[in-house]
Amino acid sequence: MGSAKGLGLALLATFAVPAAGLSGIGAIGALIGMLLSHDNRTSGVFTFFVVAVVICFLSIRLLVGMHKKAKGLVESINLQSNLNFNAENLLGYPSPAFLIFDKQNRKLAFCNSSTGHFKIYELSYLLAWRYEWKIKESMELSGPGRQVGTTNMQMPSFERVQRAGDFSLILEVADESNPVIKFYMSERAAKEWCAKLNAIVNG
């Protein structure tokens, strides 16, 4: 039951961040549209505005609640263990399953804010880290293309484009049964966490 609840919260947290951003932008756009033009003051636009505000509010409320719960768990661990885990650096947040670090005492802990469980390890448990990505290919319009016969029509031209995506932070740990842990995140976050881990472990 606990794992199912944790998985559900992890999925909600994954969608909460983009949902809050997109719904917030949508609500602002609808509000500006209604203010600037009488033509936009329709029941459909107003309904869209209300729905966007509700989604944005619920998403932000979920994220704030999860952060408060995670921070509370870190504070509880510090009191129980007499350690100094940093509640501001939660590797894996907003998922309820995350890692915390105590640079001073050379400790790390795996935590689950949905169940309240945690397990503390020596910092040496973390062997290596890196970030990875996948190369995605797509066909994109590259220009007007070539002229069709003697007509004035032009055939659109496409080219194959490669882009990096699906970035993730990879941790290698001293556990034979589960030696690799993966956290999906943005490219910027993955690079930042690599730098943070280097400062925590080697600094």
Side-chain angles (χ1 to χ4, degrees), residues 26-105:
I28 293 172
L31 179 60
I32 292 175
M34 288 188 291
L35 291 174
L36 295 180
S37 174
H38 288 283
D39 295 335
N40 289 325
R41 296 174 187 175
T42 64
S43 59
V45 175
F46 182 74
T47 300
F48 174 83
F49 169 74
V50 172
V51 171
V53 169
V54 170
I55 293 174
C56 184
F57 171 77
L58 292 177
S59 299
I60 292 175
R61 183 178 178 182
L62 172 66
L63 292 170
V64 170
M66 292 185 69
H67 187 266
K68 184 177 179 180
K69 196 170 184 179
K71 191 172 181 179
L73 177 58
V74 176
E75 292 173 353
S76 175
I77 294 171
N78 284 336
L79 288 174
Q80 294 179 52
S81 61
N82 197 29
L83 294 172
N84 189 31
F85 287 106
N86 187 350
E88 300 304 318
N89 281 331
L90 309 178
L91 175 53
Y93 178 80
S95 170
F98 56 87
L99 270 72
I100 51 177
F101 303 89
D102 180 349
K103 180 179 179 180
Q104 180 182 353
N105 296 292

Side-chain angles (χ1 to χ4, degrees), residues 162-180:
Q162 293 186 336
R163 287 191 175 89
D166 293 341
F167 282 83
S168 59
L169 180 69
I170 309 296
L171 304 185
E172 295 181 16
V173 297
D175 184 346
E176 293 182 0
S177 61
N178 189 29
V180 177

Side-chain angles (χ1 to χ4, degrees), residues 121-139:
Y121 296 89
E122 296 293 330
L123 201 55
S124 58
Y125 182 76
L126 178 59
L127 303 177
W129 56 90
R130 64 185 184 277
Y131 67 92
E132 294 182 349
W133 63 91
K134 294 180 180 178
I135 298 298
K136 295 183 176 181
E137 291 189 353
S138 62
M139 299 298 292

